[in-house]
Amino acid sequence: MAVAPLTLDDLRTAGLAQIDPEVADLLGLELERQRGEIELIASENFTWPAMLEAVGSVPTNKYSEGYPGRRYYGGCEVVDEIERLAIERAKALFGAEHANVQPHAGAQTNMAVYFACLEPGDTILSLSLSHGGHLTHGLGANFSGRLYTIVHYGVSRETSLVDYDEVRELAHEHRPRLIVCGGSAYPRVVEAERFREIADEVGAYLLCDMAHFSGLVAAGLVPSPVPHCDFVTSTTHKTLAGPRSGFILCKEEHAQALDRAVFPGMQGGPLNHVIAAKATCFRIAASEPFREYQRAIRANADTLAATLEEGGLDVLTGGTDTHLLLVDLRATAWTGKEAEERLAEVAVTVNRNTVPYDERPPTVASGLRLGTPAVTMRGFDEDDVREVGRIICEALGPSPDLDALRARSRALCERRPLYPGRPAFATLPSAGSEG
Ligand code: DSN
């Protein structure tokens, strides 16, 4: 599309479609992609329209290094109120003594905790990435693996569950300064209470990374790690269904060190528009409709696991306590990469994932990680998810009719529209866009 020459005055009022149709069209295409595929990436979600509004709001213009009432810029009286609201709501939602809502994303939450309680070289005991941990829990190529001494625990070869005896043995042998529990691909409850006992035996701090399951914690569907941990980190965009961002909870005794680690330790100006969205995210997460949504995520995850098992796939640990499941493909001819690509052909989006004791590299992997937050957000019920499970099993089975399977996926997407009534971005009316 040709772009008419714009004046400086036009730029002051024009919308994106008028100024940059190329980008506007790409945004529209992304919306249509999200609408037309069955989204099963466990860490993704479709956030509420209210969040889209907040993250597109004017506090994006404001600098406010510091904390409410203690800023290094003028004009912070409104963003102070926004941040106070987010802090108080986060504390109330999770029963926490202190909250920092400034981290830009999940990686920054863990970095801030390490900066708050460790010195470079100190030892961290954490779940290895290939057994369900996270990059920031000590991967060699990540800052965590480069700055700290990392010892990993894993899951049992027989049960794929955390072996708490192994955690205890490693803790006593290596005397870590910090133990990390939680991760990004562990389908069962993280027993923070048991980690606390072990941490106390060796005088370690305890961090739970609940980024994946914080929505379930908020809804009371899995045990809260908050009472047992020195620090709890989370993103807001996974099960919590808020904006793409992070926050940290901690005991009051660590509040000052944590706040200093976030600012000035590692971040400059907070993203005030995103903090506004976080405040609303916490408000929604305290509501009964949100609990209803989380219950549906759990029911759908159980149904998906059962359907995949009925179809002959190996769901590790036999199911899930959360929103995510891990499929072990080692008994099939599929690699994770090939299975991910095959499912994309039938409009089902997943990610390849290593399984514990995987012999393939993460770029290929032997498993798939699936989750139900996003499909549940667009209204998929257990019947829909059963159909999704069957589509997956048939797509990975012998001689599938891929066109027919794709049509079945599309039919589900049409029955459960995403952002109904929201026009594609490129066609949104915008000021001065006529002509
Ligand atoms: N990338 C996220 C996930 O997929 O779990 C974690 O950071």
Side-chain angles (χ1 to χ4, degrees), residues 43 134 184 212 238 369:
S43 50
H134 188 255
S184 58
H212 263 267
K238 298 186 175 84
R369 186 185 63 162

Side-chain angles (χ1 to χ4, degrees), residues 366-416:
S366 298
L368 295 175
R369 186 185 63 162
L370 294 84
T372 52
V375 289
T376 309
M377 178 60 89
R378 66 188 292 170
F380 278 41
D381 62 16
E382 288 180 70
D383 286 340
D384 299 328
V385 165
R386 217 168 273 118
E387 166 71 344
V388 173
R390 290 189 194 115
I391 292 170
I392 292 172
C393 292
E394 288 179 43
L396 300 180
S399 319
D401 179 343
L402 296 180
D403 289 337
L405 291 172
R406 192 180 319 110
R408 282 163 61 185
S409 294
R410 299 272 191 234
L412 281 168
C413 291
E414 274 165 33
R415 193 154 74 240
R416 307 291 187 196

